[in-house]
Amino acid sequence: MRALAFLAIVLSLSVAACGEVTSVTTSPLYSPVESQAESSLAISSGLLPPQPAPGLASISGILLSTANGLPIPETVFLLFPAEADGSLPTFLVEQNGIKGVSNARGEIVLTDVPPGVYYIGVWVPYSYSIVVEYSDKRTPRKIILRAGDRVNLGSLYAPWP
């Protein structure tokens, strides 16, 4: 119980230190609208993303280039649903995904995501590049979301120029 009280105080102080925090909203087919303060609070400090609507999930993370480890700023990304067996989709169809845009620091936030198995694609001219497990590996990063999940995915590596 003391740990929860301490956590509540730390969270209150973190919000107060960051100034006013506005909400992040998305629709499954549109980009998130986020404030710099909230994105910074949600990701840089390691806090969880915003509370999703009942029955849905939310994610946050930071897009990094496998080429140089630097953030991938202001870039379209897409959360693609996996095939029925959980594998990477054969065709990455934009209309089937949930679209967002990374901020100037490469940070991403999506709220109100339906439960399911997903992969993230980052837009490179003319196609999407799939996010991988680590900067030196080529294993696609699978994301499994359940209703009520609030997941900070941490570093998300994508082959990027």
Side-chain angles (χ1 to χ4, degrees):
M1 198 64 162
R2 286 183 185 168
L4 289 176
F6 177 74
L7 181 59
I9 291 169
V10 170
L11 290 175
S12 297
L13 292 174
S14 296
V15 170
C18 290
E20 184 179 343
V21 177
T22 60
S23 65
V24 174
T25 57
T26 68
S27 164
L29 297 177
Y30 300 98
S31 303
V33 178
E34 61 184 84
S35 73
Q36 295 291 345
E38 175 146 46
S39 182
S40 176
L41 176 66
I43 299 164
S44 297
S45 67
L47 295 177
L48 296 175
Q51 184 68 41
L56 301 175
S58 62
I59 64 168
S60 62
I62 183 166
L63 296 176
L64 300 172
S65 169
T66 57
N68 56 23
L70 295 175
I72 304 173
E74 300 172 348
T75 300
V76 172
F77 67 93
L78 205 58
L79 194 63
F80 290 102
E83 295 290 342
D85 65 357
S87 65
L88 188 65
T90 306
F91 297 102
L92 303 178
V93 180
E94 192 167 302
Q95 291 79 1
N96 294 342
I98 302 169
K99 189 184 286 187
V101 178
S102 63
N103 69 14
R105 293 180 302 280
E107 299 164 331
I108 66 167
V109 176
L110 285 177
T111 59
D112 299 341
V113 178
V117 179
Y118 295 92
Y119 293 90
I120 295 180
V122 177
W123 181 252
V124 291
Y126 310 110
S127 69
Y128 283 94
S129 179
I130 299 299
V131 167
V132 295
E133 285 291 336
Y134 304 102
S135 63
D136 60 345
K137 294 191 176 183
R138 296 291 176 219
T139 304
R141 180 144 180 206
K142 184 187 293 187
I143 301 164
I144 301 171
L145 298 174
R146 295 174 307 247
D149 280 354
R150 296 171 62 202
V151 182
N152 184 330
L153 298 168
S155 299
L156 300 164
Y157 292 95
W160 184 258

